[in-house]
Amino acid sequence: MTVVTDVADMQALARRRVPKMFYDYADTGSWTQSTYRENEAALQRQKLRQRVACNIDNRSVKTTMVGQDVTMPVALAPVGLTGMQRADGEILAAQAAEEFGVPFTLSTMSVCSIEDVAENTKNPFWFQLYVMRDRGFSENLMQRATAAGCSALVLTLDLQVLGQRHKDLKNGLSTPPKPKPHVLLDLAFKPRWCWHMLQTKRRQFGNIHGHVSGVGDMTSLAEWTNSQFDPTLDWSSVEWVKSHWKRKLILKGINDVEDAKIAADVGADAIVVSNHGGRQLDGALASYEVLQDIVDAVGDKIEVHFDSGIRSGQDVFKAVAMGAKSTYIGRAFIYGLGAMGKEGVSKVLQMMHKELDVTMGLCGETDINKVGRHNLVL
């Protein structure tokens, strides 16, 4: 039996257990993948100040995100097609996050619908919105999220046009997967995944299927989805979203100081420093490399969160020390989900919590809310 000690172990298990097209969908960047790789590398280059002979008893990594108490400064990021990593994946991940005490964010492009997740959880979760050309559909999504009790809306700003991911094209990514010879051969070696998928009815984009007029089979649904990302999305669109959403609003995809300044002025509750995990603009700066400047520019005006490249509790510590109020994990929890389902997501959260706690202690701190740049070698 494999002994899982870190996220890398979960990744290795997920690679073996998840069909190639869905594993590659989560574990890839756009074009040359240089930004995807650099996100992790930038965090790894950051060195910590080790302190000794400090009283580090009674440590706590509890904090808040947009006013919500969290067990540690981590939220599960929105990831499309999570329900193809494991059957009912969004439900399982949401349940694991709820039990651990951190937020779960449901993607617009999820397999399980808003209503599916609401029916299978007790506490409010967050919803991530892509603004579509069909503004009526986007408005309907916000109404459904409100009805489901979602406490925060995460508006993604960096996907007006889709960055090309070569592996998705080569794998013929689709949901459900098309019965082509290479796909069937791959599925033959993934019996665990197939067995779980046979037990569920959720195999399509749950937030879209049945909610869009004029869309019938999966082919037309895919065509509609690919044509709907809105290239006209601008700051006036953010104001439009605000007029329809009366709860916490988080703006995701900020990777530039000037954009951060504008975002801080539009009245959102938080921004997420993110380059979409290297899945959009290849060649962009790693998000950690811009975090310090963004915190310095707007950190006194708006809550700054961080996303892109986090694979450990040490990464969480570094981001918080640089000034982020909290962080998001995407691939890290996806690996756990693909490897072990709900148990895997819980295991990832437990490992990251321990890594964060131990790192904080060895840096001489006992309260995550007092961690800062004095803990970093700058």
Side-chain angles (χ1 to χ4, degrees):
M1 181 178 179
T2 301
V3 178
V4 175
T5 59
D6 58 13
V7 167
D9 287 341
M10 283 294 190
Q11 181 179 3
L13 278 175
R15 185 183 290 112
R16 296 204 300 266
R17 295 176 177 179
V18 177
K20 186 178 188 315
M21 71 167 62
F22 298 122
Y23 174 82
D24 283 351
Y25 169 77
D27 192 55
T28 193
S30 62
W31 289 332
T32 69
Q33 303 191 88
S34 65
T35 299
Y36 167 36
R37 294 189 295 270
E38 186 62 17
N39 279 333
E40 293 182 61
L43 283 159
Q44 291 168 359
R45 285 194 296 269
Q46 178 67 68
K47 302 306 177 185
L48 303 171
R49 289 185 64 202
Q50 178 180 320
R51 303 302 304 276
V52 298
C54 302
N55 183 346
I56 56 171
D57 197 17
N58 299 317
R59 295 183 303 280
S60 173
V61 295
K62 293 181 180 179
T63 186
T64 62
M65 296 180 72
V66 292
Q68 178 177 330
D69 291 334
V70 293
T71 302
M72 63 177 173
V74 171
L76 270 58
V79 180
L81 293 179
T82 294
M84 285 291 135
Q85 302 294 324
R86 177 76 169 239
D88 298 334
E90 289 90 359
I91 292 172
L92 300 179
Q95 290 173 337
E98 178 178 87
E99 291 171 8
F100 198 84
V102 296
F104 168 78
T105 316
L106 181 70
S107 171
T108 290
M109 306 309 295
S110 60
V111 174
C112 300
S113 69
I114 297 169
E115 293 78 12
D116 287 333
V117 175
E119 289 171 3
N120 288 277
T121 53
K122 298 176 182 178
N123 298 331
F125 56 96
W126 297 355
F127 181 68
Q128 175 269 333
L129 178 70
Y130 286 126
V131 175
M132 305 291 195
R133 290 179 187 267
D134 183 346
R135 291 296 176 93
F137 175 68
S138 295
E139 183 178 349
N140 178 254
L141 280 173
M142 287 186 278
Q143 291 171 349
R144 290 167 58 196
T146 298
C150 295
S151 56
L153 186 75
V154 179
L155 174 60
T156 296
L157 298 175
D158 60 354
L159 211 150
Q160 295 154 293
V161 62
L162 189 65
Q164 180 169 305
R165 301 148 199 169
H166 298 333
K167 291 181 181 179
D168 291 348
L169 295 176
K170 292 175 179 177
N171 290 331
L173 178 69
S174 65
T175 177
K178 296 177 181 176
K180 295 183 177 180
H182 72 281
V183 174
L184 295 175
L185 180 62
D186 183 36
L187 293 179
F189 288 92
K190 306 294 190 300
R192 183 194 309 259
W193 183 91
C194 293
W195 170 252
H196 288 294
M197 199 59 65
L198 287 172
Q199 310 306 308
T200 184
K201 60 183 179 182
R202 303 177 182 97
R203 305 186 189 97
Q204 306 177 83
F205 290 118
N207 290 323
I208 300 173
H209 191 260
H211 296 277
V212 180
S213 60
V215 174
D217 60 20
M218 284 305 298
T219 301
S220 58
L221 176 58
E223 292 173 352
W224 180 87
T225 302
N226 291 333
S227 69
Q228 275 296 309
F229 291 109
D230 191 353
T232 70
L233 176 68
D234 59 11
W235 292 109
S236 68
S237 304
V238 177
E239 295 288 351
W240 177 81
V241 169
K242 279 190 62 185
S243 71
H244 290 86
W245 183 262
K246 304 305 179 185
R247 298 172 183 173
K248 299 293 185 180
L249 177 63
I250 301 169
L251 303 181
K252 181 176 181 288
I254 306 298
N255 213 54
D256 182 90
V257 171
E258 293 306 310
D259 286 338
K261 291 177 179 178
I262 299 171
D265 290 336
V266 301
D269 297 282
I271 59 172
V272 185
V273 178
S274 169
N275 56 34
H276 217 103
R279 294 166 65 78
Q280 282 297 96
L281 178 60
D282 189 36
L285 282 171
S287 291
Y288 189 73
E289 292 182 326
V290 301
L291 178 59
Q292 179 175 355
D293 289 342
I294 289 177
V295 169
D296 290 345
V298 304
D300 59 340
K301 300 177 182 178
I302 192 170
E303 201 165 292
V304 178
H305 300 172
F306 177 80
D307 170 77
S308 297
I310 289 180
R311 301 292 186 273
S312 69
Q314 279 209 335
D315 292 339
V316 173
F317 182 87
K318 292 172 182 178
V320 171
M322 191 58 82
K325 174 65 174 173
S326 195
T327 66
Y328 295 68
I329 57 171
R331 292 182 176 97
F333 94 81
I334 286 295
Y335 297 147
L337 181 67
M340 299 179 179
K342 177 183 172 182
E343 177 188 353
V345 179
S346 298
K347 178 70 172 177
V348 166
L349 291 170
Q350 291 162 6
M351 291 189 298
M352 295 187 79
H353 184 277
K354 183 175 182 179
E355 291 164 349
L356 174 59
D357 174 69
V358 171
T359 299
M360 187 173 71
L362 293 177
C363 287
E365 301 289 349
T366 59
D367 184 353
I368 194 66
N369 297 294
K370 295 181 180 179
V371 167
R373 291 179 191 168
H374 60 279
N375 299 118
L376 304 175
V377 179
L378 296 176

